[in-house]
Amino acid sequence: MTVTETLNPMTDEDRGPATAAEILARARALAPLLRERSEEIARNRRLPEDVVQLVRDTGVFRIGMTKDWGGPELTFAEQTEVIEALSYGDPAAGWCAMIGMDTWIYAGYLDETVVKEMLANPDAITAGLIFPVGRAERVPGGYRVNGRWPFGSGISHADWVVGGCVVHSDGEPEPGADGAPVNWRLIVAPREQFELVDTWHTTGLAGSGSMDYRANDLFVPEERSFDFTTPRGDGPLSAPDAFLGNVPGVPLGIARAALDHVRELAAGKVEKGTGVPWAESYRVQTAIGQAEMELSAARYAVYGTLDELWDRLEAGQQPTPDQQVSSALARVNAFRTARSIVTRLADLVGTASIYRSSPLDRWVRDLHTMCQHILAQEQIVQSAGAHLLGGTPLAPFPLGLKG
Protein backbone atom coordinates (compact mmCIF):
# COMPACT_ATOMS: atom_id res chain seq x y z
CA MET A 1 0.00 0.00 0.00
CA THR A 2 1.36 3.43 -0.95
CA VAL A 3 1.60 6.45 1.36
CA THR A 4 -1.17 8.12 -0.63
CA GLU A 5 -3.46 5.10 -0.22
CA THR A 6 -2.73 5.06 3.49
CA LEU A 7 -3.54 8.75 3.95
CA ASN A 8 -6.49 9.05 1.60
CA PRO A 9 -9.62 8.76 3.80
CA MET A 10 -12.10 9.01 0.93
CA THR A 11 -14.04 6.30 -0.84
CA ASP A 12 -15.50 6.44 -4.34
CA GLU A 13 -18.90 7.21 -2.79
CA ASP A 14 -17.85 10.55 -1.28
CA ARG A 15 -15.60 11.98 -3.98
CA GLY A 16 -17.79 15.06 -4.47
CA PRO A 17 -16.60 18.05 -6.50
CA ALA A 18 -13.05 17.38 -7.65
CA THR A 19 -11.83 20.57 -9.31
CA ALA A 20 -11.47 24.24 -8.46
CA ALA A 21 -13.77 25.14 -11.35
CA GLU A 22 -16.55 22.87 -10.13
CA ILE A 23 -16.36 24.08 -6.53
CA LEU A 24 -16.35 27.73 -7.64
CA ALA A 25 -19.32 27.13 -9.94
CA ARG A 26 -21.28 25.58 -7.07
CA ALA A 27 -20.42 28.48 -4.78
CA ARG A 28 -21.56 31.02 -7.35
CA ALA A 29 -24.78 29.11 -7.97
CA LEU A 30 -25.54 29.07 -4.23
CA ALA A 31 -24.96 32.81 -3.73
CA PRO A 32 -28.48 34.00 -4.74
CA LEU A 33 -30.10 31.60 -2.28
CA LEU A 34 -27.75 32.73 0.48
CA ARG A 35 -28.75 36.34 -0.26
CA GLU A 36 -32.41 35.40 0.17
CA ARG A 37 -31.65 33.79 3.54
CA SER A 38 -29.37 36.58 4.84
CA GLU A 39 -31.91 38.24 7.11
CA GLU A 40 -32.86 34.87 8.62
CA ILE A 41 -29.20 33.96 9.14
CA ALA A 42 -28.52 37.23 10.94
CA ARG A 43 -31.69 36.98 13.02
CA ASN A 44 -30.88 33.43 14.18
CA ARG A 45 -27.23 34.38 14.92
CA ARG A 46 -25.95 31.22 13.23
CA LEU A 47 -26.32 29.33 9.97
CA PRO A 48 -29.48 27.19 9.79
CA GLU A 49 -28.80 23.45 9.41
CA ASP A 50 -30.05 23.31 5.83
CA VAL A 51 -27.84 26.26 4.88
CA VAL A 52 -24.85 24.52 6.44
CA GLN A 53 -25.56 21.49 4.27
CA LEU A 54 -25.93 23.62 1.14
CA VAL A 55 -22.59 25.28 1.83
CA ARG A 56 -21.01 21.90 2.60
CA ASP A 57 -22.29 20.54 -0.71
CA THR A 58 -20.34 23.16 -2.65
CA GLY A 59 -17.11 21.40 -1.65
CA VAL A 60 -15.71 24.47 0.11
CA PHE A 61 -14.69 22.50 3.18
CA ARG A 62 -12.44 20.21 1.14
CA ILE A 63 -10.61 22.89 -0.83
CA GLY A 64 -7.45 22.42 1.25
CA MET A 65 -7.36 18.66 0.64
CA THR A 66 -4.07 17.88 -1.09
CA LYS A 67 -3.89 15.95 -4.34
CA ASP A 68 -1.86 13.26 -2.57
CA TRP A 69 -4.96 12.56 -0.51
CA GLY A 70 -7.25 12.55 -3.53
CA GLY A 71 -8.43 16.14 -3.09
CA PRO A 72 -8.64 19.19 -5.35
CA GLU A 73 -5.84 21.12 -3.53
CA LEU A 74 -6.92 24.62 -4.51
CA THR A 75 -4.25 27.30 -4.55
CA PHE A 76 -4.51 30.25 -2.16
CA ALA A 77 -6.03 32.36 -4.94
CA GLU A 78 -8.52 29.65 -5.96
CA GLN A 79 -9.60 29.24 -2.34
CA THR A 80 -10.13 32.99 -2.06
CA GLU A 81 -12.33 33.01 -5.16
CA VAL A 82 -14.63 30.41 -3.59
CA ILE A 83 -14.89 32.37 -0.32
CA GLU A 84 -15.49 35.56 -2.30
CA ALA A 85 -18.35 33.90 -4.21
CA LEU A 86 -20.07 32.66 -1.05
CA SER A 87 -19.60 36.03 0.69
CA TYR A 88 -21.21 37.72 -2.32
CA GLY A 89 -24.32 35.83 -1.27
CA ASP A 90 -24.04 36.18 2.51
CA PRO A 91 -21.08 37.44 4.59
CA ALA A 92 -21.73 35.12 7.54
CA ALA A 93 -21.85 32.08 5.28
CA GLY A 94 -18.62 33.17 3.61
CA TRP A 95 -16.97 33.81 6.97
CA CYS A 96 -18.00 30.40 8.37
CA ALA A 97 -16.81 28.68 5.19
CA MET A 98 -13.47 30.48 5.40
CA ILE A 99 -13.02 29.32 9.01
CA GLY A 100 -14.45 25.83 8.58
CA MET A 101 -12.26 24.74 5.67
CA ASP A 102 -9.12 24.81 7.82
CA THR A 103 -9.74 21.16 8.74
CA TRP A 104 -7.48 19.96 5.97
CA ILE A 105 -4.69 22.37 6.83
CA TYR A 106 -4.75 21.25 10.46
CA ALA A 107 -4.70 17.65 9.22
CA GLY A 108 -1.29 18.34 7.69
CA TYR A 109 0.16 18.55 11.20
CA LEU A 110 -1.56 15.58 12.81
CA ASP A 111 -0.80 11.89 13.12
CA GLU A 112 -2.02 9.72 10.27
CA THR A 113 -4.47 7.77 12.45
CA VAL A 114 -6.07 11.01 13.65
CA VAL A 115 -6.41 12.26 10.09
CA LYS A 116 -8.33 9.14 9.17
CA GLU A 117 -10.66 9.65 12.13
CA MET A 118 -11.20 13.38 11.55
CA LEU A 119 -11.63 13.15 7.82
CA ALA A 120 -13.77 10.07 7.47
CA ASN A 121 -16.04 12.80 6.17
CA PRO A 122 -13.90 14.75 3.66
CA ASP A 123 -16.20 17.74 4.12
CA ALA A 124 -15.65 17.91 7.87
CA ILE A 125 -15.89 21.37 9.41
CA THR A 126 -13.53 22.71 12.08
CA ALA A 127 -13.96 25.79 14.27
CA GLY A 128 -12.03 27.38 17.08
CA LEU A 129 -9.44 29.94 18.14
CA ILE A 130 -5.79 29.04 17.63
CA PHE A 131 -4.32 31.61 20.01
CA PRO A 132 -3.14 30.12 23.35
CA VAL A 133 -5.78 31.22 25.83
CA GLY A 134 -6.36 27.70 27.19
CA ARG A 135 -4.21 25.61 29.50
CA ALA A 136 -3.00 22.10 28.69
CA GLU A 137 -1.44 20.25 31.63
CA ARG A 138 0.78 17.31 30.66
CA VAL A 139 -0.56 13.98 31.91
CA PRO A 140 0.27 10.41 30.86
CA GLY A 141 -0.68 9.96 27.21
CA GLY A 142 -1.65 13.54 26.51
CA TYR A 143 -3.05 16.66 28.17
CA ARG A 144 -5.70 17.71 30.66
CA VAL A 145 -7.23 20.81 29.07
CA ASN A 146 -9.10 23.68 30.68
CA GLY A 147 -10.03 27.02 29.21
CA ARG A 148 -12.52 29.31 27.60
CA TRP A 149 -11.95 30.59 24.09
CA PRO A 150 -13.79 33.43 22.33
CA PHE A 151 -14.72 33.79 18.66
CA GLY A 152 -15.68 30.21 17.77
CA SER A 153 -17.11 31.18 14.38
CA GLY A 154 -19.38 28.43 13.05
CA ILE A 155 -18.84 26.28 16.13
CA SER A 156 -22.51 25.34 16.46
CA HIS A 157 -22.30 23.36 13.19
CA ALA A 158 -18.66 22.24 13.41
CA ASP A 159 -17.56 18.61 13.53
CA TRP A 160 -14.22 19.30 15.21
CA VAL A 161 -12.91 22.09 17.41
CA VAL A 162 -9.39 23.39 17.96
CA GLY A 163 -8.14 25.43 20.88
CA GLY A 164 -4.79 27.09 21.41
CA CYS A 165 -3.17 26.28 24.75
CA VAL A 166 -0.11 27.03 26.82
CA VAL A 167 1.41 23.70 27.83
CA HIS A 168 2.14 23.24 31.54
CA SER A 169 4.18 20.60 33.34
CA ASP A 170 3.78 20.11 37.09
CA GLY A 171 1.77 23.31 37.25
CA GLU A 172 4.35 25.48 35.51
CA PRO A 173 4.28 26.78 31.91
CA GLU A 174 6.79 25.10 29.62
CA PRO A 175 9.17 27.20 27.52
CA GLY A 176 8.71 26.94 23.79
CA ALA A 177 11.16 25.95 21.10
CA ASP A 178 13.84 28.35 19.85
CA GLY A 179 13.58 30.57 22.92
CA ALA A 180 9.80 31.16 22.77
CA PRO A 181 8.48 32.16 26.20
CA VAL A 182 5.77 29.45 26.24
CA ASN A 183 4.99 26.17 24.52
CA TRP A 184 2.00 27.06 22.31
CA ARG A 185 0.13 23.94 21.24
CA LEU A 186 -3.25 23.35 19.61
CA ILE A 187 -5.58 20.61 20.76
CA VAL A 188 -8.27 19.00 18.61
CA ALA A 189 -11.44 17.32 19.86
CA PRO A 190 -15.00 16.60 18.70
CA ARG A 191 -17.35 19.54 19.17
CA GLU A 192 -19.52 17.56 21.59
CA GLN A 193 -16.69 17.59 24.13
CA PHE A 194 -16.88 21.38 24.51
CA GLU A 195 -19.50 23.53 26.20
CA LEU A 196 -20.80 26.34 23.99
CA VAL A 197 -21.38 29.70 25.69
CA ASP A 198 -23.86 31.88 23.79
CA THR A 199 -22.07 35.22 23.91
CA TRP A 200 -22.43 36.24 20.25
CA HIS A 201 -24.81 39.21 20.44
CA THR A 202 -23.48 41.66 17.86
CA THR A 203 -24.87 44.06 15.31
CA GLY A 204 -22.48 42.89 12.60
CA LEU A 205 -21.63 39.43 11.28
CA ALA A 206 -24.34 38.18 13.61
CA GLY A 207 -25.01 35.05 11.58
CA SER A 208 -21.49 33.67 12.06
CA GLY A 209 -22.36 32.36 15.52
CA SER A 210 -18.89 33.29 16.79
CA MET A 211 -19.65 32.40 20.39
CA ASP A 212 -17.35 31.38 23.23
CA TYR A 213 -16.65 27.76 24.10
CA ARG A 214 -15.03 26.07 27.07
CA ALA A 215 -13.35 22.85 28.14
CA ASN A 216 -13.41 21.52 31.69
CA ASP A 217 -10.82 18.85 32.54
CA LEU A 218 -10.94 17.54 28.98
CA PHE A 219 -8.43 14.77 28.26
CA VAL A 220 -6.83 15.17 24.84
CA PRO A 221 -4.46 12.44 23.61
CA GLU A 222 -1.01 13.58 22.51
CA GLU A 223 -1.70 12.59 18.91
CA ARG A 224 -4.64 15.02 18.82
CA SER A 225 -2.38 17.99 19.38
CA PHE A 226 0.07 19.88 17.18
CA ASP A 227 1.95 23.11 16.62
CA PHE A 228 2.61 25.04 13.44
CA THR A 229 6.36 24.36 13.46
CA THR A 230 6.14 20.66 12.57
CA PRO A 231 4.11 20.00 9.40
CA ARG A 232 4.21 16.50 7.90
CA GLY A 233 4.44 17.83 4.35
CA ASP A 234 6.43 20.57 2.67
CA GLY A 235 4.08 22.13 0.09
CA PRO A 236 2.38 25.55 0.16
CA LEU A 237 -0.41 24.30 2.41
CA SER A 238 2.21 23.48 5.05
CA ALA A 239 3.24 27.13 5.41
CA PRO A 240 2.42 28.38 8.94
CA ASP A 241 0.06 31.06 7.57
CA ALA A 242 -1.58 28.89 4.89
CA PHE A 243 -4.99 29.16 6.52
CA LEU A 244 -4.92 32.98 6.24
CA GLY A 245 -4.68 33.21 2.46
CA ASN A 246 -8.41 33.05 1.71
CA VAL A 247 -9.49 35.47 4.46
CA PRO A 248 -9.76 38.56 2.19
CA GLY A 249 -12.33 36.77 0.05
CA VAL A 250 -14.99 37.79 2.57
CA PRO A 251 -14.61 41.60 2.38
CA LEU A 252 -13.96 41.47 -1.37
CA GLY A 253 -17.19 39.53 -1.90
CA ILE A 254 -19.20 42.00 0.18
CA ALA A 255 -17.79 45.03 -1.64
CA ARG A 256 -18.57 43.46 -5.01
CA ALA A 257 -22.11 42.66 -3.88
CA ALA A 258 -22.64 46.24 -2.65
CA LEU A 259 -21.38 47.77 -5.88
CA ASP A 260 -23.57 45.54 -8.01
CA HIS A 261 -26.55 46.33 -5.78
CA VAL A 262 -26.11 50.11 -6.08
CA ARG A 263 -25.54 49.90 -9.84
CA GLU A 264 -28.84 48.07 -10.13
CA LEU A 265 -30.55 50.71 -7.97
CA ALA A 266 -29.12 53.45 -10.18
CA ALA A 267 -31.12 52.24 -13.17
CA GLY A 268 -34.34 53.53 -11.60
CA LYS A 269 -33.20 56.52 -9.54
CA VAL A 270 -33.05 60.24 -10.23
CA GLU A 271 -31.46 63.12 -8.35
CA LYS A 272 -34.17 64.59 -6.12
CA GLY A 273 -33.23 68.21 -6.62
CA THR A 274 -32.70 68.20 -10.38
CA GLY A 275 -34.49 65.15 -11.71
CA VAL A 276 -31.29 64.05 -13.44
CA PRO A 277 -31.13 60.24 -13.78
CA TRP A 278 -28.43 58.67 -11.66
CA ALA A 279 -26.86 57.24 -14.77
CA GLU A 280 -26.26 60.84 -15.96
CA SER A 281 -25.35 62.34 -12.58
CA TYR A 282 -21.72 63.47 -12.30
CA ARG A 283 -21.88 62.90 -8.54
CA VAL A 284 -23.10 59.33 -8.86
CA GLN A 285 -20.86 58.49 -11.79
CA THR A 286 -17.80 59.66 -9.87
CA ALA A 287 -18.77 57.74 -6.73
CA ILE A 288 -19.25 54.50 -8.66
CA GLY A 289 -16.09 54.98 -10.69
CA GLN A 290 -14.04 55.68 -7.57
CA ALA A 291 -15.42 52.62 -5.81
CA GLU A 292 -14.73 50.36 -8.79
CA MET A 293 -11.18 51.70 -9.06
CA GLU A 294 -10.44 51.06 -5.40
CA LEU A 295 -11.99 47.60 -5.37
CA SER A 296 -10.11 46.54 -8.51
CA ALA A 297 -6.80 47.70 -7.04
CA ALA A 298 -7.45 45.95 -3.72
CA ARG A 299 -8.58 42.76 -5.42
CA TYR A 300 -5.61 42.58 -7.75
CA ALA A 301 -3.26 43.15 -4.83
CA VAL A 302 -4.80 40.20 -2.99
CA TYR A 303 -4.74 37.78 -5.90
CA GLY A 304 -1.37 38.91 -7.23
CA THR A 305 0.40 38.47 -3.91
CA LEU A 306 -1.30 35.13 -3.26
CA ASP A 307 -0.18 33.79 -6.63
CA GLU A 308 3.39 34.95 -6.02
CA LEU A 309 3.42 33.36 -2.57
CA TRP A 310 2.00 30.06 -3.83
CA ASP A 311 4.44 29.84 -6.74
CA ARG A 312 7.44 30.42 -4.50
CA LEU A 313 6.32 27.93 -1.86
CA GLU A 314 5.45 25.34 -4.50
CA ALA A 315 8.98 25.69 -5.86
CA GLY A 316 10.31 24.88 -2.40
CA GLN A 317 11.61 28.38 -1.75
CA GLN A 318 11.02 30.54 1.29
CA PRO A 319 9.36 33.91 0.64
CA THR A 320 11.51 37.01 0.71
CA PRO A 321 10.71 39.59 3.43
CA ASP A 322 8.85 41.69 0.86
CA GLN A 323 6.79 38.70 -0.27
CA GLN A 324 6.25 37.65 3.32
CA VAL A 325 4.47 40.87 4.19
CA SER A 326 2.83 41.66 0.85
CA SER A 327 -0.05 39.23 1.20
CA ALA A 328 -0.63 40.28 4.82
CA LEU A 329 -0.80 43.96 3.85
CA ALA A 330 -3.05 43.18 0.89
CA ARG A 331 -5.32 41.32 3.30
CA VAL A 332 -5.57 44.29 5.67
CA ASN A 333 -6.14 46.63 2.73
CA ALA A 334 -8.97 44.46 1.42
CA PHE A 335 -10.86 44.81 4.71
CA ARG A 336 -10.30 48.55 4.96
CA THR A 337 -11.09 49.23 1.32
CA ALA A 338 -14.28 47.19 1.42
CA ARG A 339 -15.49 49.00 4.54
CA SER A 340 -14.73 52.38 2.96
CA ILE A 341 -16.49 51.49 -0.29
CA VAL A 342 -19.63 50.11 1.33
CA THR A 343 -19.87 53.02 3.78
CA ARG A 344 -19.65 55.53 0.93
CA LEU A 345 -22.20 53.60 -1.12
CA ALA A 346 -24.59 53.71 1.85
CA ASP A 347 -24.04 57.48 2.02
CA LEU A 348 -24.75 57.70 -1.71
CA VAL A 349 -28.04 55.84 -1.40
CA GLY A 350 -28.94 57.93 1.63
CA THR A 351 -31.76 57.28 4.06
CA ALA A 352 -32.99 54.24 2.11
CA SER A 353 -29.84 52.42 3.24
CA ILE A 354 -30.63 52.63 6.96
CA TYR A 355 -33.52 50.17 6.92
CA ARG A 356 -33.04 46.47 7.55
CA SER A 357 -34.75 45.81 4.23
CA SER A 358 -31.65 47.25 2.56
CA PRO A 359 -28.67 44.87 2.35
CA LEU A 360 -26.43 47.93 2.63
CA ASP A 361 -27.43 48.27 6.28
CA ARG A 362 -26.26 44.71 6.98
CA TRP A 363 -23.10 44.98 4.87
CA VAL A 364 -21.99 48.16 6.69
CA ARG A 365 -22.47 46.47 10.06
CA ASP A 366 -20.81 43.24 8.95
CA LEU A 367 -17.73 45.02 7.64
CA HIS A 368 -17.43 47.17 10.75
CA THR A 369 -17.42 44.02 12.88
CA MET A 370 -14.98 42.01 10.78
CA CYS A 371 -12.57 44.96 10.57
CA GLN A 372 -12.10 44.54 14.31
CA HIS A 373 -10.62 41.08 13.72
CA ILE A 374 -6.96 40.78 14.63
CA LEU A 375 -6.06 40.09 10.99
CA ALA A 376 -7.37 43.51 9.94
CA GLN A 377 -5.90 45.59 12.75
CA GLU A 378 -3.09 48.12 12.87
CA GLN A 379 -0.64 45.73 14.51
CA ILE A 380 -0.44 43.76 11.25
CA VAL A 381 0.73 46.91 9.46
CA GLN A 382 3.22 47.61 12.25
CA SER A 383 4.48 44.05 12.12
CA ALA A 384 4.96 44.24 8.36
CA GLY A 385 7.00 47.43 8.70
CA ALA A 386 9.01 46.01 11.58
CA HIS A 387 9.82 42.84 9.63
CA LEU A 388 11.00 44.83 6.64
CA LEU A 389 13.18 47.07 8.82
CA GLY A 390 14.57 44.33 11.02
CA GLY A 391 12.58 45.49 14.05
CA THR A 392 10.21 43.62 16.35
CA PRO A 393 6.79 42.65 14.94
CA LEU A 394 3.98 42.75 17.48
CA ALA A 395 2.04 40.10 15.53
CA PRO A 396 4.57 37.84 13.77
CA PHE A 397 2.31 34.86 13.22
CA PRO A 398 -0.05 36.46 10.66
CA LEU A 399 3.06 37.24 8.59
CA GLY A 400 4.03 33.59 8.50
CA LEU A 401 6.80 34.04 11.06
CA LYS A 402 7.23 31.31 13.66
CA GLY A 403 8.23 33.49 16.56
Side-chain angles (χ1 to χ4, degrees), residues 15-27:
R15 288 287 168 182
T19 67
E22 185 178 0
I23 295 171
L24 180 59
R26 291 188 181 199

Side-chain angles (χ1 to χ4, degrees), residues 21 31 33 43 53 55 59 82-83 119 126 172 273 277 312 328 337 341 344 349 364 368 386 395 399:
L33 177 59
R43 184 172 61 252
Q53 189 58 49
V55 175
V82 175
I83 300 303
L119 304 175
T126 301
E172 297 295 328
R312 191 168 182 89
T337 300
I341 287 171
R344 296 198 317 266
V349 171
V364 167
H368 175 74
L399 300 183

Side-chain angles (χ1 to χ4, degrees), residues 78-101:
E78 289 169 338
Q79 292 178 25
T80 303
E81 280 191 292
V82 175
I83 300 303
E84 187 178 14
L86 292 171
S87 302
Y88 184 88
D90 179 74
W95 189 269
C96 288
M98 176 267 294
I99 296 291
M101 61 75 54

Side-chain angles (χ1 to χ4, degrees), residues 181-325:
V182 297
N183 184 0
W184 171 14
R185 199 157 184 85
L186 280 78
I187 55 93
V188 181
R191 184 197 62 192
E192 292 76 18
Q193 295 184 3
F194 294 87
E195 178 188 354
L196 305 188
V197 187
D198 189 5
T199 54
W200 194 243
H201 297 272
T202 61
T203 57
L205 210 61
S208 68
S210 303
M211 64 185 74
D212 291 10
Y213 59 103
R214 64 162 62 104
N216 295 304
D217 289 330
L218 172 64
F219 174 71
V220 177
E222 176 69 37
E223 62 270 19
R224 284 193 187 171
S225 70
F226 67 96
D227 63 56
F228 284 116
T229 65
T230 55
R232 270 208 321 270
D234 57 3
L237 293 177
S238 297
D241 58 343
F243 65 99
L244 303 178
N246 58 27
V247 172
V250 183
L252 292 177
I254 299 171
R256 180 72 268 162
L259 261 165
D260 288 352
H261 173 71
V262 174
R263 286 169 62 179
E264 290 173 7
L265 286 179
K269 291 182 72 68
V270 298
E271 296 278 32
K272 291 182 179 179
T274 63
V276 174
W278 267 30
E280 299 299 332
S281 167
Y282 185 90
R283 178 182 74 96
V284 177
Q285 292 168 343
T286 302
I288 297 299
Q290 180 76 24
E292 289 284 0
M293 177 176 65
E294 293 176 7
L295 179 57
S296 294
R299 192 173 187 275
Y300 275 93
V302 165
Y303 284 99
T305 56
L306 288 177
D307 282 337
E308 289 178 3
L309 196 59
W310 181 274
D311 290 345
R312 191 168 182 89
L313 289 168
E314 193 173 42
Q317 301 173 335
Q318 289 301 308
T320 66
D322 283 6
Q323 289 171 322
Q324 195 96 43
V325 303

Side-chain angles (χ1 to χ4, degrees), residues 8 36 122 155 178 191 195 205 233 262 267 319 351 363 394 396-397:
N8 190 348
E36 292 175 3
I155 196 168
D178 299 325
R191 184 197 62 192
E195 178 188 354
L205 210 61
V262 174
T351 53
W363 290 328
L394 293 178
F397 187 73

